[in-house]
Structure formats: structure tokens, C-alpha cells
Amino acid sequence: QVQLVESGGGLVQPGGSLRFSCAASGSLYRINAMGWYRQAPGKERELVATITSSRNTNYADSMKGRFTISRDNAKNTVYLQIDSLRPEDTAVYYCNAEVIVISPYRKLVVWGQGTLVTVSS
């Protein structure tokens, strides 16, 4: 009913930059907060950043400085830019969104399928 489709991952050299996008589609009434999480090999999924519909942002302490979250409400899309990539940024990056749907009216938390980022020379 509601889908999040991510794009923008891949192989990048250390020091490079990447920009991901995640577009929501389906029977949406409203999208509240959107966010990015990541899961490195052998580790638990962790928060990267979130952004509200009014574009207030929140970053995990370890993600401040090199990560930038943004969104385009007209396109139902959230973005994540990572600069100065490091090998330890290698992970699957997931987007999520809290959405309001109707028929019946309810709140859902939806996850994307994940996009793999590999930082290696």
C-alpha cells in the first residue's frame, strides 16, 4: 500500500561523497518524520538522522558533521548526503517514514529495502 524506494548506493573510494534518495509512494495522506538508518556487517541497525515535515533535523551524535539529511515534501522524497566517506561507513542504508494513510485512517512506519554502500579503494 505504501512503499519507500531507495536509490544511490554503490562502491565509492574513501574521501568521496554519495547522495541517496528515498521516495514514498502509495495511498498516502501525509508523511510525518522521515529518517535514515544504517546497518554495518555484523552490527545492529543504528540511527543516522531524522527530519520532520517542517524540516527540523536530528542527527546521531556520531553522524554530525559529514551527514546531511534533507527532504522535498512535494516529491515525498528524503535525501542523505555523506561526505568524506570512510571505510567504516560501509553498510546497508535504510530509509523509513512515519506515514498517515486513510481507509482506514491509521499511522504506519514504513521501511525501504535498503541500499548498500561500500567504501573501499
Side-chain angles (χ1 to χ4, degrees), residues 4 17 19 22 29-30 32 46 50 52-53 65 70-72 79 81 83 87 91 99 101 103 117:
L4 298 180
S17 296
R19 188 174 189 241
C22 172
Y29 175 69
R30 186 174 70 240
N32 293 334
E46 62 178 343
T50 60
T52 68
S53 57
S70 60
R71 68 190 280 175
D72 184 333
Y79 305 93
Q81 171 134 356
D83 298 314
V99 303
V101 300
S103 303
V117 172

PDB file of all heavy atoms in Angstrom, residues 4 17 19 22 29-30 32 46 50 52-53 65 70-72 79 81 83 87 91 99 101 103 117:
ATOM      1  N   LEU A   4       8.551   2.623   0.088  1.00  0.00           N
ATOM      2  CA  LEU A   4       9.701   3.516   0.053  1.00  0.00           C
ATOM      3  C   LEU A   4      10.732   2.867  -0.856  1.00  0.00           C
ATOM      4  O   LEU A   4      11.116   1.719  -0.644  1.00  0.00           O
ATOM      5  CB  LEU A   4      10.298   3.705   1.451  1.00  0.00           C
ATOM      6  CG  LEU A   4       9.413   4.349   2.508  1.00  0.00           C
ATOM      7  CD1 LEU A   4      10.173   4.441   3.832  1.00  0.00           C
ATOM      8  CD2 LEU A   4       8.945   5.727   2.070  1.00  0.00           C
ATOM      9  N   SER A  17      32.034  11.243  -1.950  1.00  0.00           N
ATOM     10  CA  SER A  17      30.703  11.610  -1.452  1.00  0.00           C
ATOM     11  C   SER A  17      29.639  10.787  -2.153  1.00  0.00           C
ATOM     12  O   SER A  17      29.847  10.311  -3.281  1.00  0.00           O
ATOM     13  CB  SER A  17      30.429  13.093  -1.719  1.00  0.00           C
ATOM     14  OG  SER A  17      31.327  13.912  -1.017  1.00  0.00           O
ATOM     15  N   ARG A  19      25.118  10.630  -2.487  1.00  0.00           N
ATOM     16  CA  ARG A  19      23.815  11.185  -2.150  1.00  0.00           C
ATOM     17  C   ARG A  19      22.754  10.142  -2.470  1.00  0.00           C
ATOM     18  O   ARG A  19      22.649   9.670  -3.612  1.00  0.00           O
ATOM     19  CB  ARG A  19      23.534  12.460  -2.937  1.00  0.00           C
ATOM     20  CG  ARG A  19      22.275  13.189  -2.486  1.00  0.00           C
ATOM     21  CD  ARG A  19      22.147  14.503  -3.219  1.00  0.00           C
ATOM     22  NE  ARG A  19      21.090  15.339  -2.677  1.00  0.00           N
ATOM     23  CZ  ARG A  19      20.025  15.748  -3.359  1.00  0.00           C
ATOM     24  NH1 ARG A  19      19.878  15.377  -4.626  1.00  0.00           N
ATOM     25  NH2 ARG A  19      19.116  16.516  -2.797  1.00  0.00           N
ATOM     26  N   CYS A  22      15.192   8.593  -1.335  1.00  0.00           N
ATOM     27  CA  CYS A  22      14.187   7.611  -0.937  1.00  0.00           C
ATOM     28  C   CYS A  22      12.835   8.249  -1.191  1.00  0.00           C
ATOM     29  O   CYS A  22      12.489   9.251  -0.552  1.00  0.00           O
ATOM     30  CB  CYS A  22      14.360   7.252   0.527  1.00  0.00           C
ATOM     31  SG  CYS A  22      13.043   6.239   1.203  1.00  0.00           S
ATOM     32  N   TYR A  29      -1.750   9.862   2.918  1.00  0.00           N
ATOM     33  CA  TYR A  29      -2.458  11.099   3.254  1.00  0.00           C
ATOM     34  C   TYR A  29      -1.456  12.157   3.675  1.00  0.00           C
ATOM     35  O   TYR A  29      -1.533  13.303   3.269  1.00  0.00           O
ATOM     36  CB  TYR A  29      -3.464  10.829   4.368  1.00  0.00           C
ATOM     37  CG  TYR A  29      -4.168  12.055   4.870  1.00  0.00           C
ATOM     38  CD1 TYR A  29      -5.088  12.734   4.068  1.00  0.00           C
ATOM     39  CD2 TYR A  29      -3.914  12.555   6.146  1.00  0.00           C
ATOM     40  CE1 TYR A  29      -5.726  13.870   4.521  1.00  0.00           C
ATOM     41  CE2 TYR A  29      -4.556  13.691   6.606  1.00  0.00           C
ATOM     42  CZ  TYR A  29      -5.459  14.338   5.797  1.00  0.00           C
ATOM     43  OH  TYR A  29      -6.094  15.473   6.238  1.00  0.00           O
ATOM     44  N   ARG A  30      -0.498  11.744   4.486  1.00  0.00           N
ATOM     45  CA  ARG A  30       0.529  12.664   4.953  1.00  0.00           C
ATOM     46  C   ARG A  30       1.757  11.868   5.377  1.00  0.00           C
ATOM     47  O   ARG A  30       1.654  10.725   5.807  1.00  0.00           O
ATOM     48  CB  ARG A  30       0.034  13.487   6.142  1.00  0.00           C
ATOM     49  CG  ARG A  30       0.992  14.576   6.598  1.00  0.00           C
ATOM     50  CD  ARG A  30       0.395  15.454   7.693  1.00  0.00           C
ATOM     51  NE  ARG A  30       0.264  14.761   8.943  1.00  0.00           N
ATOM     52  CZ  ARG A  30      -0.892  14.574   9.567  1.00  0.00           C
ATOM     53  NH1 ARG A  30      -2.018  15.009   9.026  1.00  0.00           N
ATOM     54  NH2 ARG A  30      -0.934  13.960  10.729  1.00  0.00           N
ATOM     55  N   ASN A  32       4.860  12.175   8.012  1.00  0.00           N
ATOM     56  CA  ASN A  32       5.404  12.907   9.155  1.00  0.00           C
ATOM     57  C   ASN A  32       6.930  12.855   9.078  1.00  0.00           C
ATOM     58  O   ASN A  32       7.510  13.298   8.099  1.00  0.00           O
ATOM     59  CB  ASN A  32       4.854  12.351  10.449  1.00  0.00           C
ATOM     60  CG  ASN A  32       3.363  12.607  10.590  1.00  0.00           C
ATOM     61  OD1 ASN A  32       2.809  13.559  10.014  1.00  0.00           O
ATOM     62  ND2 ASN A  32       2.681  11.764  11.337  1.00  0.00           N
ATOM     63  N   GLU A  46      21.496   1.189  13.202  1.00  0.00           N
ATOM     64  CA  GLU A  46      21.628   2.387  14.021  1.00  0.00           C
ATOM     65  C   GLU A  46      21.065   3.598  13.295  1.00  0.00           C
ATOM     66  O   GLU A  46      21.027   3.660  12.056  1.00  0.00           O
ATOM     67  CB  GLU A  46      23.106   2.647  14.368  1.00  0.00           C
ATOM     68  CG  GLU A  46      24.003   2.902  13.179  1.00  0.00           C
ATOM     69  CD  GLU A  46      25.442   3.204  13.571  1.00  0.00           C
ATOM     70  OE1 GLU A  46      25.709   3.541  14.747  1.00  0.00           O
ATOM     71  OE2 GLU A  46      26.308   3.122  12.686  1.00  0.00           O
ATOM     72  N   THR A  50      17.122  11.987  11.309  1.00  0.00           N
ATOM     73  CA  THR A  50      15.703  12.108  11.005  1.00  0.00           C
ATOM     74  C   THR A  50      15.377  13.542  10.627  1.00  0.00           C
ATOM     75  O   THR A  50      16.139  14.472  10.951  1.00  0.00           O
ATOM     76  CB  THR A  50      14.819  11.693  12.190  1.00  0.00           C
ATOM     77  OG1 THR A  50      15.120  12.546  13.305  1.00  0.00           O
ATOM     78  CG2 THR A  50      15.056  10.241  12.582  1.00  0.00           C
ATOM     79  N   THR A  52      11.753  16.141  10.195  1.00  0.00           N
ATOM     80  CA  THR A  52      10.302  16.268  10.297  1.00  0.00           C
ATOM     81  C   THR A  52       9.733  16.882   9.021  1.00  0.00           C
ATOM     82  O   THR A  52      10.475  17.321   8.133  1.00  0.00           O
ATOM     83  CB  THR A  52       9.927  17.150  11.491  1.00  0.00           C
ATOM     84  OG1 THR A  52      10.357  18.495  11.218  1.00  0.00           O
ATOM     85  CG2 THR A  52      10.578  16.656  12.777  1.00  0.00           C
ATOM     86  N   SER A  53       8.412  16.941   8.960  1.00  0.00           N
ATOM     87  CA  SER A  53       7.776  17.528   7.787  1.00  0.00           C
ATOM     88  C   SER A  53       8.079  19.013   7.670  1.00  0.00           C
ATOM     89  O   SER A  53       8.038  19.576   6.568  1.00  0.00           O
ATOM     90  CB  SER A  53       6.264  17.301   7.843  1.00  0.00           C
ATOM     91  OG  SER A  53       5.728  17.826   9.030  1.00  0.00           O
ATOM     92  N   GLY A  65      28.228  16.254  11.210  1.00  0.00           N
ATOM     93  CA  GLY A  65      29.361  16.826  10.501  1.00  0.00           C
ATOM     94  C   GLY A  65      29.476  16.370   9.057  1.00  0.00           C
ATOM     95  O   GLY A  65      29.626  17.196   8.164  1.00  0.00           O
ATOM     96  N   SER A  70      17.915  15.814   4.115  1.00  0.00           N
ATOM     97  CA  SER A  70      17.017  16.841   3.591  1.00  0.00           C
ATOM     98  C   SER A  70      15.798  16.152   2.993  1.00  0.00           C
ATOM     99  O   SER A  70      15.788  14.922   2.835  1.00  0.00           O
ATOM    100  CB  SER A  70      17.717  17.708   2.541  1.00  0.00           C
ATOM    101  OG  SER A  70      18.167  16.913   1.448  1.00  0.00           O
ATOM    102  N   ARG A  71      14.784  16.930   2.679  1.00  0.00           N
ATOM    103  CA  ARG A  71      13.597  16.334   2.085  1.00  0.00           C
ATOM    104  C   ARG A  71      12.902  17.327   1.171  1.00  0.00           C
ATOM    105  O   ARG A  71      13.026  18.532   1.335  1.00  0.00           O
ATOM    106  CB  ARG A  71      12.634  15.794   3.131  1.00  0.00           C
ATOM    107  CG  ARG A  71      11.966  16.813   3.992  1.00  0.00           C
ATOM    108  CD  ARG A  71      11.211  16.174   5.147  1.00  0.00           C
ATOM    109  NE  ARG A  71       9.901  15.652   4.752  1.00  0.00           N
ATOM    110  CZ  ARG A  71       9.104  14.970   5.566  1.00  0.00           C
ATOM    111  NH1 ARG A  71       9.494  14.698   6.807  1.00  0.00           N
ATOM    112  NH2 ARG A  71       7.900  14.549   5.149  1.00  0.00           N
ATOM    113  N   ASP A  72      12.170  16.757   0.216  1.00  0.00           N
ATOM    114  CA  ASP A  72      11.346  17.529  -0.700  1.00  0.00           C
ATOM    115  C   ASP A  72       9.919  17.043  -0.491  1.00  0.00           C
ATOM    116  O   ASP A  72       9.555  15.944  -0.953  1.00  0.00           O
ATOM    117  CB  ASP A  72      11.805  17.302  -2.143  1.00  0.00           C
ATOM    118  CG  ASP A  72      11.045  18.150  -3.150  1.00  0.00           C
ATOM    119  OD1 ASP A  72       9.883  18.504  -2.880  1.00  0.00           O
ATOM    120  OD2 ASP A  72      11.620  18.436  -4.210  1.00  0.00           O
ATOM    121  N   TYR A  79      16.425  12.714   1.341  1.00  0.00           N
ATOM    122  CA  TYR A  79      17.778  12.551   0.812  1.00  0.00           C
ATOM    123  C   TYR A  79      18.768  12.418   1.961  1.00  0.00           C
ATOM    124  O   TYR A  79      18.540  12.916   3.061  1.00  0.00           O
ATOM    125  CB  TYR A  79      18.177  13.753  -0.042  1.00  0.00           C
ATOM    126  CG  TYR A  79      17.215  14.063  -1.168  1.00  0.00           C
ATOM    127  CD1 TYR A  79      16.184  14.983  -0.990  1.00  0.00           C
ATOM    128  CD2 TYR A  79      17.336  13.437  -2.403  1.00  0.00           C
ATOM    129  CE1 TYR A  79      15.302  15.269  -2.018  1.00  0.00           C
ATOM    130  CE2 TYR A  79      16.455  13.723  -3.435  1.00  0.00           C
ATOM    131  CZ  TYR A  79      15.439  14.638  -3.235  1.00  0.00           C
ATOM    132  OH  TYR A  79      14.559  14.916  -4.251  1.00  0.00           O
ATOM    133  N   GLN A  81      23.034  12.890   2.190  1.00  0.00           N
ATOM    134  CA  GLN A  81      24.353  13.090   1.603  1.00  0.00           C
ATOM    135  C   GLN A  81      25.403  12.762   2.644  1.00  0.00           C
ATOM    136  O   GLN A  81      25.306  13.178   3.798  1.00  0.00           O
ATOM    137  CB  GLN A  81      24.549  14.533   1.125  1.00  0.00           C
ATOM    138  CG  GLN A  81      25.961  14.856   0.699  1.00  0.00           C
ATOM    139  CD  GLN A  81      26.046  15.599  -0.618  1.00  0.00           C
ATOM    140  OE1 GLN A  81      25.057  15.840  -1.286  1.00  0.00           O
ATOM    141  NE2 GLN A  81      27.250  15.971  -0.990  1.00  0.00           N
ATOM    142  N   ASP A  83      29.549  12.982   3.079  1.00  0.00           N
ATOM    143  CA  ASP A  83      30.818  13.499   2.566  1.00  0.00           C
ATOM    144  C   ASP A  83      31.988  12.840   3.286  1.00  0.00           C
ATOM    145  O   ASP A  83      31.829  12.265   4.364  1.00  0.00           O
ATOM    146  CB  ASP A  83      30.878  15.021   2.760  1.00  0.00           C
ATOM    147  CG  ASP A  83      29.783  15.739   1.991  1.00  0.00           C
ATOM    148  OD1 ASP A  83      29.574  15.411   0.813  1.00  0.00           O
ATOM    149  OD2 ASP A  83      29.123  16.635   2.584  1.00  0.00           O
ATOM    150  N   PRO A  87      35.926   3.951   5.227  1.00  0.00           N
ATOM    151  CA  PRO A  87      35.594   2.519   5.141  1.00  0.00           C
ATOM    152  C   PRO A  87      34.562   2.092   6.191  1.00  0.00           C
ATOM    153  O   PRO A  87      33.734   1.213   5.911  1.00  0.00           O
ATOM    154  CB  PRO A  87      36.945   1.850   5.367  1.00  0.00           C
ATOM    155  CG  PRO A  87      37.936   2.841   4.843  1.00  0.00           C
ATOM    156  CD  PRO A  87      37.375   4.184   5.206  1.00  0.00           C
ATOM    157  N   ALA A  91      27.959  -0.021   4.816  1.00  0.00           N
ATOM    158  CA  ALA A  91      26.749  -0.504   5.483  1.00  0.00           C
ATOM    159  C   ALA A  91      25.608  -0.544   4.471  1.00  0.00           C
ATOM    160  O   ALA A  91      25.733  -0.011   3.362  1.00  0.00           O
ATOM    161  CB  ALA A  91      26.367   0.406   6.644  1.00  0.00           C
ATOM    162  N   VAL A  99       4.002   7.486   8.224  1.00  0.00           N
ATOM    163  CA  VAL A  99       3.016   7.993   7.270  1.00  0.00           C
ATOM    164  C   VAL A  99       1.620   7.831   7.829  1.00  0.00           C
ATOM    165  O   VAL A  99       1.353   6.956   8.662  1.00  0.00           O
ATOM    166  CB  VAL A  99       3.130   7.258   5.910  1.00  0.00           C
ATOM    167  CG1 VAL A  99       4.523   7.391   5.334  1.00  0.00           C
ATOM    168  CG2 VAL A  99       2.734   5.803   6.046  1.00  0.00           C
ATOM    169  N   VAL A 101      -2.156   7.055   6.555  1.00  0.00           N
ATOM    170  CA  VAL A 101      -2.959   6.564   5.432  1.00  0.00           C
ATOM    171  C   VAL A 101      -4.428   6.608   5.824  1.00  0.00           C
ATOM    172  O   VAL A 101      -4.763   6.676   7.006  1.00  0.00           O
ATOM    173  CB  VAL A 101      -2.557   5.128   5.029  1.00  0.00           C
ATOM    174  CG1 VAL A 101      -1.090   5.081   4.617  1.00  0.00           C
ATOM    175  CG2 VAL A 101      -2.810   4.149   6.171  1.00  0.00           C
ATOM    176  N   SER A 103      -8.586   5.047   4.957  1.00  0.00           N
ATOM    177  CA  SER A 103      -9.334   3.874   4.522  1.00  0.00           C
ATOM    178  C   SER A 103      -8.669   2.569   4.933  1.00  0.00           C
ATOM    179  O   SER A 103      -8.350   1.749   4.063  1.00  0.00           O
ATOM    180  CB  SER A 103      -9.592   3.891   3.012  1.00  0.00           C
ATOM    181  OG  SER A 103     -10.280   5.055   2.637  1.00  0.00           O
ATOM    182  N   VAL A 117      26.135   0.511   0.566  1.00  0.00           N
ATOM    183  CA  VAL A 117      27.258   1.413   0.316  1.00  0.00           C
ATOM    184  C   VAL A 117      28.532   0.696   0.735  1.00  0.00           C
ATOM    185  O   VAL A 117      28.628   0.211   1.864  1.00  0.00           O
ATOM    186  CB  VAL A 117      27.109   2.724   1.101  1.00  0.00           C
ATOM    187  CG1 VAL A 117      28.380   3.560   0.979  1.00  0.00           C
ATOM    188  CG2 VAL A 117      25.897   3.484   0.602  1.00  0.00           C
TER     189      VAL A 117
END
